[in-house]
Amino acid sequence: MKLLVINGPNLNMLGIREPGIYGSETYASLVQMISEYCEQKGIEVEFFQSNHEGSIVDRIQEAYGVFDGIVINPAAYTHTSVAILDALKAVSIPAVEVHISAVNEREDFRQISYAGKACVKTYMGLGFNGYIEAIKFLEDYLQKKQ
Ligand code: DQA
């Protein structure tokens, strides 16, 4: 299984940004945690983080025919980006949406997820563990699809 993990804007600031909401662990430690899990499971994983919507769209398009699954936390673009939704639909690679915080318990403007409409599953409010749950889900989902 070849997996792409995409993180959107401001997630490079993990550990600094609003630690009461997102915790005190950094983006580098998130990458390390996921890498260790994937190594144990024999999953090939690549990471992409960008603060730019078009760069995320480009990365999703480039994933076509290369990756078996995508784990994506589009961050603020979750609630605004039809372009990311369309890119996920265009490549039709099974994707799982992750949010570190419990977005369903937050502001009204966070209650819509465009990207989520192209995802087979969403995990929220589990902290970094949501990414691992997303990978586990994809392992199972892709195995059943074969
Ligand atoms: C987030 C939730 C979004 O609403 C927010 O804009 C983020 C992070 C999360 O992981 O909880 O940047 O996606």
Side-chain angles (χ1 to χ4, degrees):
M1 166 171 161
K2 212 169 163 198
L3 178 72
L4 178 62
V5 179
I6 299 175
N7 279 287
N10 300 305
L11 291 168
N12 56 316
M13 297 289 282
L14 285 171
I16 296 169
R17 77 179 287 213
E18 303 179 88
I21 297 175
Y22 300 111
S24 53
E25 295 291 319
T26 62
Y27 177 71
S29 66
L30 173 66
V31 167
Q32 195 187 333
M33 187 192 85
I34 297 170
S35 299
E36 280 169 10
Y37 177 82
C38 289
E39 205 182 317
Q40 276 171 30
K41 295 283 180 165
I43 298 167
E44 214 180 310
V45 64
E46 279 184 34
F47 296 91
F48 182 74
Q49 189 281 324
S50 177
N51 295 325
H52 305 279
E53 184 177 16
S55 303
I56 295 170
V57 170
D58 287 344
R59 191 66 193 93
I60 293 168
Q61 289 184 8
E62 287 160 12
Y64 180 70
V66 179
F67 290 92
D68 306 306
I70 293 176
V71 170
I72 184 164
N73 181 348
Y77 290 138
T78 306
H79 320 299
T80 61
S81 181
V82 177
I84 291 175
L85 164 64
D86 285 349
L88 289 169
K89 282 185 163 177
V91 298
S92 64
I93 298 168
V96 177
E97 176 188 22
V98 174
H99 299 286
I100 295 166
S101 67
V103 278
N104 57 323
E105 293 167 10
R106 297 181 64 192
E107 301 93 326
D108 286 349
F109 61 83
R110 294 186 206 273
Q111 298 314 311
I112 180 142
S113 169
Y114 290 101
K117 295 181 191 297
C119 292
V120 290
K121 180 90 178 164
T122 296
Y123 291 94
M124 59 176 74
L126 301 176
F128 285 9
N129 220 32
Y131 291 84
I132 303 297
E133 291 303 317
I135 298 168
K136 285 182 183 165
F137 179 88
L138 273 175
E139 286 178 273
D140 194 47
Y141 181 88
L142 291 170
Q143 203 170 9
K144 282 182 184 148
K145 245 187 112 193
Q146 273 174 8

